[in-house]
């Protein structure tokens, strides 16, 4: 906006008293349209569970936040000064990394006025991509239907119009190797030259591995500008999150059940398997199992031993990996459910 005001004409209408960068962003590039496309994408992607989504608590550099969406929004709205911000978002499989990013991108897009950035979530999970640039271009063209050049994207990130999230950075490493992946990230940070905000997400075990720590120190060394790294950890769900989620599930599905009673039932049945209840994905499958017949009655067989109960829930996880996560560029399964089960 410090570049001054512009007086121009478009479609025969006079445009005046409009800050130059705002004119470029909202009129020439069309960021309000991109915000609409982000909302459409998130709604479509989460249409089966959108009404049941709840906030997960997170830690950002050991500081606890009960509302993960609001906490990340504040980070993106208040970026580091004279450094590129880099958040490493981590959690175990099924703990809700992708869901959290979708909720943040939806919240920023829904409230878009031009003052705050949009979160552009680039899904690397189960997709074959050879570079970060390919992933960005593919998402813009095929997911958000909003083509932008690489130069425009970098300009938008530098000006804090866009926060770029690379969801599934560990998947990129599995395809191009540790060294190349971190060098590509370094190149991205170099292009930002001490500006903007980036986020990479991966499973917690990925960031904790010694190989990744060593490779990050060796190869994540930008030559231009500096970056400020923060670790963001999604916390396991406790009783309050479970109760809130079950209450939403009951309301959305118009079930004539007391959500507190359901929560107590499930916690009692899985009293020796509490780790499953701390994971949103597994908890969702357990609840679906709870109501799996047409009459929505209790179907968990108390005669099943602990191993059998866990095995049934794990099968749902395997189906998710095979049918929703590990897909090729056309959306087809890369390997069968049996292959995943064997692994």
């Amino acid at each position: 906006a410090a570049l001054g005001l512009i007086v121009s004409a478009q479609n025969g209408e006079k445009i005046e008293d409009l800050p130059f960068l705002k004119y470029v962003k909202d009129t020439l590039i069309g960021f309000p349209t991109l915000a609409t496309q982000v909302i459409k994408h998130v709604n479509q992607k989460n249409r089966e569970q959108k009404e049941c989504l709840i906030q997960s608590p997170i830690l950002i550099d050991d500081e606890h936040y009960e509302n993960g969406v609001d906490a990340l929004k504040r980070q993106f709205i208040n970026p580091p000064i004279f450094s590129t911000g880099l958040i490493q978002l981590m959690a175990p499989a099924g703990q809700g990394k992708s869901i959290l990013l979708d909720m943040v991108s939806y919240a920023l897009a829904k409230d878009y006025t031009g003052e705050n950035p949009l979160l552009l979530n680039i899904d690397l999970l189960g997709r074959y991509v050879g570079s970060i640039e390919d992933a960005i271009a593919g998402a813009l063209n095929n997911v958000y239907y909003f083509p932008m050049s690489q130069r425009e994207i970098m300009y938008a990130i530098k000006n804090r119009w866009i926060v770029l999230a690379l969801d599934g950075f560990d998947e990129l490493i599995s395809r191009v190797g540790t060294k190349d992946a971190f060098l590509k990230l370094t190149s991205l940070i170099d292009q930002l030259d001490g500006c903007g905000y980036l986020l990479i997400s991966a499973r917690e075990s990925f960031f904790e591995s010694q190989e990744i720590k060593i490779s990050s120190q060796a190869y994540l060394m930008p030559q231009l500008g500096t970056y400020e790294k923060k670790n963001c950890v999604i916390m396991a769900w406790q009783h309050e999150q479970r109760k809130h989620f079950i209450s939403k599930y009951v309301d959305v599905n118009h079930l004539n059940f007391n959500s507190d009673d359901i929560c107590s039932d499930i916690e009692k049945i899985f009293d020796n398997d509490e780790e499953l209840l701390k994971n949103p994905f597994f908890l969702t499958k357990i609840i679906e199992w709870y109501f799996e017949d047409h009459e929505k009655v209790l179907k968990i067989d108390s005669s099943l031993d602990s191993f059998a109960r866990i095995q049934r829930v794990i099968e749902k996880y395997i189906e998710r990996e095979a049918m929703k996560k590990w897909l090729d560029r056309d959306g087809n399964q890369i390997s069968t459910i049996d292959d995943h089960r064997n692994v």
Side-chain angles (χ1 to χ4, degrees):
L3 294 180
L5 305 178
I6 185 168
V7 178
S8 181
Q10 188 176 41
N11 299 325
E13 296 182 4
K14 189 176 181 181
I15 302 172
E16 55 186 340
D17 296 331
L18 191 62
F20 176 67
L21 289 182
K22 180 175 174 58
Y23 173 73
V24 171
K25 177 175 62 172
D26 290 348
T27 304
L28 296 184
I29 301 179
F31 265 63
T33 301
L34 178 57
T36 300
Q37 293 301 100
V38 169
I39 292 171
K40 287 181 179 179
H41 169 65
V42 174
N43 281 337
Q44 181 180 12
K45 181 180 175 183
N46 299 286
R47 60 185 178 275
E48 295 180 1
Q49 54 184 335
K50 179 175 179 292
E51 300 302 324
C52 294
L53 300 181
I54 71 166
Q55 307 282 0
S56 287
I58 64 173
L59 289 177
I60 300 180
D61 279 354
D62 297 326
E63 187 170 349
H64 183 271
Y65 298 90
E66 197 62 30
N67 187 318
V69 172
D70 285 349
L72 279 180
K73 282 175 60 180
R74 284 195 295 271
Q75 292 291 321
F76 298 149
I77 291 170
N78 301 289
I81 300 175
F82 306 126
S83 294
T84 298
L86 175 64
I87 285 185
Q88 295 184 154
L89 175 64
M90 61 190 79
Q95 198 63 47
K97 296 181 293 296
S98 298
I99 289 290
L100 176 59
L101 291 176
D102 282 342
M103 292 177 74
V104 175
S105 62
Y106 180 88
L108 287 169
K110 187 173 181 293
D111 297 334
Y112 180 75
T113 62
E115 297 298 319
N116 297 326
L118 293 173
L119 176 63
L120 193 65
N121 189 13
I122 308 298
D123 183 4
L124 303 177
L125 297 168
R127 306 293 190 272
Y128 180 80
V129 290
S131 69
I132 292 174
E133 289 80 5
D134 288 345
I136 295 171
L140 285 168
N141 289 313
N142 304 317
V143 175
Y144 299 106
Y145 303 104
F146 193 86
M148 293 176 70
S149 68
Q150 180 68 13
R151 183 178 179 181
E152 288 172 331
I153 279 288
M154 300 312 299
Y155 187 79
I157 299 172
K158 288 184 71 171
N159 280 281
R160 301 188 175 104
W161 300 345
I162 283 177
V163 173
L164 183 68
L166 301 174
D167 187 17
F169 190 71
D170 45 347
E171 307 284 349
L172 179 65
I173 282 182
S174 71
R175 287 164 171 76
V176 304
T178 305
K179 178 180 178 179
D180 281 354
F182 278 111
L183 288 178
K184 291 176 188 296
L185 183 59
T186 297
S187 173
L188 192 61
I189 295 174
D190 273 335
Q191 293 177 65
L192 296 176
D193 193 13
C195 300
Y197 225 131
L198 302 173
L199 180 148
I200 58 174
S201 81
R203 298 178 182 184
E204 197 167 17
S205 57
F206 166 84
F207 286 114
E208 291 177 347
S209 74
Q210 196 63 21
E211 178 191 358
I212 295 304
K213 290 179 180 178
I214 293 172
S215 297
S216 176
Q217 293 173 354
Y219 303 122
L220 191 55
M221 299 179 65
Q223 301 300 308
L224 301 175
T226 60
Y227 71 95
E228 181 180 309
K229 183 171 68 176
K230 292 185 178 182
N231 289 332
C232 177
V233 181
I234 302 179
M235 304 300 293
W237 278 11
Q238 305 300 327
H239 175 76
E240 286 305 313
Q241 284 83 35
R242 292 196 286 268
K243 189 168 71 170
H244 187 194
F245 176 78
I246 292 171
S247 176
K248 276 200 163 191
Y249 186 94
V250 168
D251 289 344
V252 167
N253 291 282
H254 309 293
L255 302 174
N256 189 25
F257 282 86
N258 184 292
S259 58
D260 288 344
D261 291 343
I262 296 171
C263 189
S264 297
D265 279 345
I266 289 175
E267 288 178 339
K268 182 178 179 181
I269 292 167
F270 286 86
D271 59 341
N272 294 321
D273 312 311
E274 190 181 6
E275 290 304 312
L276 292 176
L277 303 184
K278 293 180 179 180
N279 185 292
F281 173 78
F282 289 144
L283 179 61
T284 301
K285 298 309 173 186
I286 288 169
I287 294 171
E288 290 173 357
W289 183 13
Y290 190 98
F291 291 116
E292 78 178 354
D293 76 339
H294 296 297
E295 299 300 322
K296 301 290 189 287
V297 298
L298 182 62
K299 291 294 291 181
I300 295 181
D301 186 352
S302 59
S303 66
L304 288 176
D305 60 22
S306 176
F307 177 78
R309 294 198 301 271
I310 294 174
Q311 185 178 31
R312 182 159 183 176
V313 176
I314 294 296
E315 281 293 316
K316 296 296 184 182
Y317 169 74
I318 292 173
E319 290 177 12
R320 167 186 180 257
E321 291 293 296
M323 301 177 68
K324 294 185 177 181
K325 292 292 184 180
W326 286 89
L327 308 175
D328 63 21
R329 67 183 67 191
D330 298 318
N332 301 312
Q333 287 180 227
I334 293 175
S335 56
T336 66
I337 291 177
D338 285 340
D339 290 337
H340 282 267
R341 189 181 293 113
N342 291 335
V343 171

